Amino acid sequence: MYSDLPDNLNDRIQELESELHELKQLLGTKSTLLQHLLQNSKKDTLFSVIDTKFNLIEINDKRLNQIGKKRSDILGKKCYKVFYGLNEECKECTARKTIKHKKANRFLKSYNHNGTIKFVEKLITPIVNSIGEIERLTIESEDITGYYQLIDKVGQRDVFFRNIFESSGDAYFIHDEKGKILEFGSQLPVLLGYTEEEFKHLSVNDIDDPINSKEFEKRLRDFKEGNSLLFETDIVKKSGGRIPVELSANLIPLQDHRIYFIALRNLEKRRKAEEDLRKSEKTFRTLVENAPDLIMRFDREFKHLFVNSASIPVLGIEPENFIGKTHEDLGFPHDLCEFWEQEMQKVFDSSKARTVEFVLPADGKDYYFEWQLIPEFESDGETVTLMAIARDITKSKLNEIALKEAIQTKDKFFSIIAHDLKNPFNVMIPILGILKEELHNMSKENLREMVDLISSSVKQEYNLLESLLEWSRAQSGKIKLEPKYIDLKKIAETNINLHKAKAQEKNISIQFYSNGNNQVLADEYMISTVIRNLISNALKFTHNNGEIKIGVESNQSEIQFYVQDNGVGISPKNQKKLFRIDTNFNCAGTCEEVGTGIGLILCKEFIEQNKGKIKVNSQIGEGSKFIFTLPV
């Protein structure tokens, strides 16, 4: 076979049989990356992916059929439990060695299957992220029993081996201890840009990259620790360019000689695929991890397979605490867990996406979510996992609810106002009719009485329209907030003087009290309007000879202004109707004074615009005390 080797080489071919066929298997397996490479793996290759904690992440159909289990039953389980039925890590775990040394590990394994010896070649390859950390491991297994059985039937072993190597698709060569190339496959010269005649005169040093390659002498020393080496390097083309390869070297001892079988696998496509996948994964992870939405992945047992970082601000739970657990395991409300599982089961059963809404109580509040459930399909069309995207729609939902309530409230308010606007006309129209018919026959006293009724109705209508105008200006934003330091005592005294005539008419005394600090930062027009309304109401519902107290009290954080009367008072039921647009509570005063009911609504809006609060304390027959507070 080789002209410059000892004559007895052919006598030793029998001894090389197992080693050469073992090397053949090193050429036949190609590395893959996750789902992208899983789909492009050889049909006869048994392929799976695990993470660094030995959890099974993916598996191809060939491997799945071999172990006879459903994908949904094994994803997320420990590999040693799934493949070997063990409850703890294998004693001679090759995956552990791969993680420790951060490099691929190829080995042969034989086992007894129903009385027949089977031979399997395995390749464990680490996949690292952008910062050099191992994220997962791919495991390729190939049954090579057929090769061993075929060899026994072939007499021309030299031709048989050469045909195998030439058909493997990988380049190979054999060199001696000095690096002289003794034999090579036809692919290698083509790969490096040489003719076969040119390549016959080369040595290992001519094609080794002096920078990236393992030194030749070191390579020989490493063989003392074992009969094979596996590493990645670059080889040099005739043009000077470099080609990344996976180099598998095996020592073949021949009496007093040592020769080395070298298999080279071109990694250009794999490197590009790895880089493309790494970029794709980086882009996807960046998008997912920075998404404001909560993104989760579930298996058929409703256990979490993936959760993005949005779980921290949304739920206050670290993403890793979800993995392998159901919502029930995490302590979410039972009724919600049932709802979520029912909705997910519908997607698993129908293989159709769904969008539902749910409310999640937390910290004493209700949070509204829109939940998109998206099925993820296997090659056979079965839905084994699903992606769930939860979007917080609390703000929009609350705005929607508030808008509906506002529309309903204003509709009710306008119906009340329409009724109040019509009432004075119900009084005036009949009176005007009587006047038209009986004016010449009426006494002065009757005429004065009817004119007083008309005057009262007109005033009532005018006051209502004036209040409505003021309220509409406030609603439309035409009354702009212009805060400045104002003196509540001066504003109160001004409004007391405006109502002096009414107070004298009912012989009501008005007293003002202050503890000294009357200054507050607020809009003068709005606060004056509030005080004017409160004094007017107090005079209206206080009996003749009654008393009204007006005062200012302050502390470090707020100033309190109050108007207190000893009039008719307000029942607890009617107190709830005050300051509300949808009730418009009003009643006649002690001298049958009429009101619109809009004044207190306006007071509440003006006080709240100035960051204050307004309330009432009242008892029937004892009077009322209206209080508003403003921040200092």
Side-chain angles (χ1 to χ4, degrees):
M1 183 175 179
Y2 309 115
S3 58
D4 52 351
L5 292 178
D7 293 335
N8 64 348
L9 176 58
N10 287 329
D11 296 335
R12 301 299 301 276
I13 290 298
Q14 294 288 342
E15 298 177 14
L16 299 177
E17 179 178 328
S18 60
E19 287 86 351
L20 290 177
H21 282 284
E22 182 179 329
L23 297 175
K24 160 63 185 71
Q25 305 316 313
L26 297 176
L27 305 174
T29 310
K30 69 178 181 180
S31 176
T32 58
L33 287 172
L34 300 177
Q35 188 68 24
H36 172 72
L37 297 179
L38 172 65
Q39 294 174 351
N40 294 281
S41 62
K42 294 179 180 179
K43 291 183 178 179
D44 295 328
T45 299
L46 305 176
F47 182 87
S48 55
V49 183
I50 62 173
D51 62 19
T52 55
K53 294 183 180 180
F54 309 111
N55 297 309
L56 186 61
I57 298 174
E58 269 296 359
I59 186 171
N60 71 348
D61 293 339
K62 182 74 175 179
R63 185 65 162 135
L64 192 63
N65 293 335
Q66 185 198 49
I67 62 177
K69 296 181 179 179
K70 289 186 177 180
R71 188 184 304 272
S72 56
D73 293 336
I74 62 175
L75 287 183
K77 303 283 193 308
K78 300 296 183 183
C79 62
Y80 48 78
K81 180 68 175 180
V82 174
F83 297 142
Y84 307 112
L86 300 176
N87 293 321
E88 58 185 10
E89 182 182 329
C90 305
K91 293 182 179 179
E92 297 296 328
C93 181
T94 309
R96 176 67 67 188
K97 295 178 182 178
T98 303
I99 296 171
K100 179 179 180 182
H101 299 293
K102 293 187 177 181
K103 63 180 182 179
N105 204 328
R106 193 190 294 273
F107 60 96
L108 293 173
K109 186 173 182 179
S110 62
Y111 62 96
N112 190 313
H113 179 71
N114 297 329
T116 302
I117 300 299
K118 296 282 187 179
F119 299 89
V120 176
E121 180 193 49
K122 291 193 174 185
L123 172 65
I124 299 182
T125 305
I127 297 178
V128 299
N129 58 23
S130 58
I131 60 174
E133 295 177 341
I134 297 177
E135 287 190 339
R136 53 189 74 87
L137 305 167
T138 63
I139 305 174
E140 292 180 83
S141 302
E142 188 172 356
D143 188 346
I144 59 173
T145 306
Y147 292 118
Y148 282 86
Q149 295 172 344
L150 184 60
I151 289 174
D152 293 335
K153 301 177 183 179
V154 178
Q156 299 294 329
R157 288 180 172 83
D158 290 350
V159 177
F160 174 74
F161 291 140
R162 179 175 291 277
N163 289 338
I164 289 178
F165 294 138
E166 289 291 348
S167 64
S168 68
D170 292 325
Y172 77 91
F173 66 95
I174 300 173
H175 68 80
D176 62 14
E177 292 181 277
K178 295 182 179 181
K180 181 181 179 182
I181 297 177
L182 306 174
E183 185 67 35
F184 55 86
S186 60
Q187 297 97 330
L188 188 55
V190 175
L191 180 65
L192 297 179
Y194 292 98
T195 65
E196 290 195 12
E197 188 61 31
E198 289 175 327
F199 202 81
K200 288 179 181 179
H201 304 287
L202 301 180
S203 68
V204 173
N205 290 330
D206 295 317
I207 63 173
D208 259 356
D209 184 337
I211 299 176
N212 295 325
S213 179
K214 182 179 287 193
E215 293 180 1
F216 185 75
E217 295 300 325
K218 186 178 187 308
R219 189 184 305 170
L220 297 183
R221 289 195 302 271
D222 288 346
F223 272 112
K224 295 179 180 179
E225 300 177 5
N227 292 328
S228 64
L229 294 176
L230 179 67
F231 58 93
E232 292 184 5
T233 184
D234 290 347
I235 56 174
V236 184
K237 300 172 66 174
K238 181 180 178 180
S239 63
R242 266 61 174 170
I243 298 176
V245 296
E246 180 186 73
L247 188 149
S248 175
N250 285 264
L251 169 64
I252 305 174
L254 294 174
Q255 292 184 345
D256 298 331
H257 298 271
R258 293 158 66 91
I259 65 173
Y260 302 87
F261 180 90
I262 311 297
L264 301 171
R265 173 166 295 171
N266 191 339
L267 298 182
E268 289 178 306
K269 291 184 179 180
R270 193 184 85 179
R271 289 277 178 87
K272 187 178 185 305
E274 288 177 345
E275 184 60 25
D276 290 345
L277 180 62
R278 191 174 290 113
K279 289 180 180 178
S280 176
E281 285 188 344
K282 183 179 180 180
T283 301
F284 174 77
R285 183 171 291 276
T286 300
L287 291 173
V288 169
E289 290 299 334
N290 289 281
D293 298 335
L294 183 60
I295 301 175
M296 297 178 170
R297 190 184 184 204
F298 295 91
D299 62 16
R300 277 189 166 269
E301 295 178 352
F302 313 118
K303 293 181 179 179
H304 294 79
L305 299 176
F306 169 82
V307 179
N308 71 337
S309 298
S311 65
I312 300 174
V314 176
L315 301 174
I317 305 174
E318 295 289 340
E320 56 267 22
N321 293 337
F322 284 88
I323 306 304
K325 299 177 182 177
T326 64
H327 285 116
E328 196 86 44
D329 297 334
L330 291 162
F332 284 92
H334 178 70
D335 56 339
L336 264 181
C337 293
E338 283 189 342
F339 170 77
W340 288 330
E341 291 182 5
Q342 289 171 2
E343 294 300 323
M344 286 192 283
Q345 190 60 54
K346 291 176 183 177
V347 176
F348 280 123
D349 293 341
S350 67
S351 295
K352 294 181 180 179
R354 289 179 60 81
T355 300
V356 296
E357 292 183 4
F358 64 87
V359 181
L360 180 65
D363 302 327
K365 299 179 181 178
D366 286 339
Y367 293 88
Y368 295 82
F369 287 90
E370 181 184 78
W371 209 28
Q372 290 181 297
L373 302 175
I374 305 167
E376 297 180 320
F377 302 103
E378 270 300 305
S379 56
D380 59 0
E382 182 184 5
T383 302
V384 294
T385 58
L386 63 81
M387 191 72 72
I389 303 174
R391 174 166 297 173
D392 187 347
I393 58 171
T394 303
K395 288 185 179 179
S396 61
K397 198 69 177 178
L398 292 178
N399 288 339
E400 180 185 334
I401 294 172
L403 179 60
K404 288 181 179 179
E405 291 178 349
I407 292 173
Q408 292 173 354
T409 297
K410 289 195 175 183
D411 286 346
K412 187 173 182 180
F413 172 72
F414 287 129
S415 68
I416 293 171
I417 294 303
H419 179 269
D420 287 351
L421 282 171
K422 189 170 64 173
N423 279 340
F425 290 101
N426 290 335
V427 175
M428 289 188 289
I429 290 173
I431 293 175
L432 290 172
I434 294 173
L435 288 173
K436 184 178 180 181
E437 297 293 332
E438 304 292 338
L439 179 62
H440 297 291
N441 300 323
M442 292 181 66
S443 66
K444 290 183 178 180
E445 291 182 3
N446 288 339
L447 184 60
R448 185 180 297 108
E449 182 180 349
M450 288 191 174
V451 170
D452 288 341
L453 286 174
I454 293 173
S455 175
S456 176
S457 297
V458 170
K459 286 180 181 179
Q460 180 181 351
E461 198 76 11
Y462 177 79
N463 290 335
L464 177 58
L465 290 173
E466 187 177 50
S467 297
L468 281 174
L469 179 61
E470 193 80 2
W471 178 79
S472 66
R473 289 178 63 212
Q475 290 294 302
S476 62
K478 291 182 179 179
I479 302 178
K480 297 189 180 297
L481 183 69
E482 296 180 356
K484 64 180 181 179
Y485 282 101
I486 58 176
D487 190 321
L488 293 178
K489 179 180 179 182
K490 289 183 178 179
I491 295 175
E493 289 174 344
T494 298
N495 281 283
I496 290 172
N497 288 331
L498 288 176
H499 293 86
K500 191 174 182 180
K502 183 67 176 177
Q504 290 176 346
E505 182 183 334
K506 298 181 73 172
N507 195 30
I508 297 173
S509 69
I510 301 177
Q511 303 295 326
F512 181 83
Y513 303 90
S514 172
N515 64 357
N517 181 21
N518 303 307
Q519 296 288 321
V520 67
L521 184 64
D523 184 283
E524 184 174 6
Y525 170 78
M526 293 184 181
I527 300 304
S528 180
T529 300
V530 172
I531 293 175
R532 184 167 64 252
N533 271 280
L534 295 181
I535 295 175
S536 176
N537 284 345
L539 288 168
K540 187 186 305 179
F541 296 107
T542 301
H543 296 286
N544 292 345
N545 305 313
E547 182 183 28
I548 295 174
K549 295 179 181 179
I550 301 172
V552 181
E553 297 176 355
S554 64
N555 55 39
Q556 292 182 348
S557 61
E558 64 181 18
I559 283 184
Q560 176 178 285
F561 186 95
Y562 65 87
V563 176
Q564 182 177 1
D565 64 66
N566 61 352
V568 297
I570 308 169
S571 68
K573 179 180 178 181
N574 287 331
Q575 287 179 41
K576 294 179 181 180
K577 298 178 182 180
L578 299 177
F579 311 113
R580 290 178 55 181
I581 195 173
D582 59 337
T583 55
N584 192 33
F585 169 73
N586 65 82
C587 65
T590 56
C591 292
E592 299 301 319
E593 299 99 327
V594 294
T596 65
I598 300 177
L600 289 179
I601 298 172
L602 198 61
C603 289
K604 181 175 184 294
E605 294 214 11
F606 282 170
I607 291 298
E608 288 180 348
Q609 284 188 47
N610 284 272
K611 300 180 181 179
K613 296 179 181 179
I614 189 168
K615 64 179 181 179
V616 62
N617 296 325
S618 182
Q619 289 187 6
I620 292 292
E622 295 184 11
S624 303
K625 184 177 183 179
F626 284 83
I627 306 164
F628 69 79
T629 58
L630 296 170
V632 172

